Amino acid sequence: MNPNILISTGGGDPSNYLAALKAAGAQGEARYLPAPDLHYDGLLLAGGGDMEPARFGQPDCGSRDIDPARDGAELALLDAFFAAGKPVLAVCRGFQVVNVWLGGDLVQDLSPALAPFHGGGEGDRVHPVHAVEGSLLHRLYGPVFSVNSAHHQALGRLGRGLSVTARSEGGVAEAVEHETLPLIAVQFHPERMTGAKARPDTVDGGAVFRAFLNMVRNV
């Protein structure tokens, strides 16, 4: 039986996430503000707007599209799924939510020197990433590879137990791993780099979904 994954979204179109999960051998159910439901085999925190800065002890200094209700729902989901030992895949906003959940904070607006490489304008930006040897992304893609980006915030102080396992230009964190929790967390959008969304200028994002489902099946 294929794993069943809960996808927490901001209410937008979840079709890319659903398609990526299906191609990797799972089914997904996308919901806005879902209550924790441990009948699911894993959790996917999707991209979207920014977290409320008060959640990480800062005044608002450039955050956009804040949804406090979503923040609260996703922090509760992380409480429940990690307490149950169930794996989490965190993408873009989800990457940042995990860091805050673990006590870290965020850079609310990338510097003008870095912003053009990561967000702004139409479509994704493509840039190289350098992975730490021995990390998941290093095993999937090698030491240097290209990904997409569509964000204007980044990780600041790291949350408890996290280590950065991939960075892009200027030191922006692109992936983290946790010392004990079953977590795959990336700043880029693998669901827009696979299947019908595959692109010749990036790696295949489907490998991230397959790695996540392997984690789900092996817990």
Side-chain angles (χ1 to χ4, degrees), residues 6 12 30 38 43 78 81 106 138 183 199:
L6 175 61
L38 296 176
L43 172 67
L78 290 173
F81 275 77
L106 304 178
H138 187 274
L183 170 70
R199 46 190 304 164

Side-chain angles (χ1 to χ4, degrees), residues 15-21 23-24 44-47 89-95 124 136-137 140-141 145-150 174-175 184-199 202-212:
S15 59
N16 291 336
Y17 296 99
L18 292 166
L21 284 171
L44 195 165
L45 296 183
L89 172 59
V91 172
C92 196
R93 169 195 155 88
F95 177 74
D124 293 343
L136 172 66
L137 291 189
L140 295 180
Y141 299 125
F145 52 93
S146 291
V147 300
N148 57 359
S149 277
E174 295 288 338
I184 297 177
V186 296
Q187 181 63 76
F188 53 91
H189 281 272
E191 80 284 0
R192 298 205 294 258
M193 303 193 306
T194 192
K197 295 288 183 177
R199 46 190 304 164
T202 70
V203 290
D204 176 18
V208 171
F209 286 89
R210 293 189 292 273
F212 171 58

Side-chain angles (χ1 to χ4, degrees), residues 45-56:
L45 296 183
D50 299 336
M51 292 194 78
E52 186 175 26
R55 296 275 185 183
F56 47 92

Side-chain angles (χ1 to χ4, degrees), residues 11-127:
D13 180 5
S15 59
N16 291 336
Y17 296 99
L18 292 166
L21 284 171
K22 182 177 180 181
Q27 57 187 3
E29 184 170 349
R31 296 183 183 176
Y32 173 61
L33 305 183
D37 184 346
L38 296 176
H39 289 97
Y40 292 94
D41 301 302
L43 172 67
L44 195 165
L45 296 183
D50 299 336
M51 292 194 78
E52 186 175 26
R55 296 275 185 183
F56 47 92
Q58 294 181 9
D60 190 338
C61 301
S63 293
R64 309 170 190 167
D65 303 319
I66 296 169
D67 185 346
R70 184 180 182 191
D71 296 345
E74 293 188 338
L75 293 169
L77 288 170
L78 290 173
D79 286 341
F81 275 77
F82 281 141
K86 296 199 171 189
V88 174
L89 172 59
V91 172
C92 196
R93 169 195 155 88
F95 177 74
Q96 297 166 6
V97 172
V98 166
N99 192 55
V100 172
W101 181 78
L102 287 164
D105 65 12
L106 304 178
V107 176
Q108 292 187 51
D109 209 21
L110 288 170
S111 71
L114 292 174
F117 296 96
H118 293 270
E122 295 297 323
D124 293 343
R125 302 298 177 92
V126 174
H127 58 83

Side-chain angles (χ1 to χ4, degrees), residues 138-160:
H138 187 274
R139 295 194 298 273
L140 295 180
Y141 299 125
V144 184
F145 52 93
S146 291
V147 300
N148 57 359
S149 277
H151 63 102
H152 76 109
Q153 298 195 332
L155 300 197
R157 182 184 69 252
L158 277 185
R160 297 178 300 276

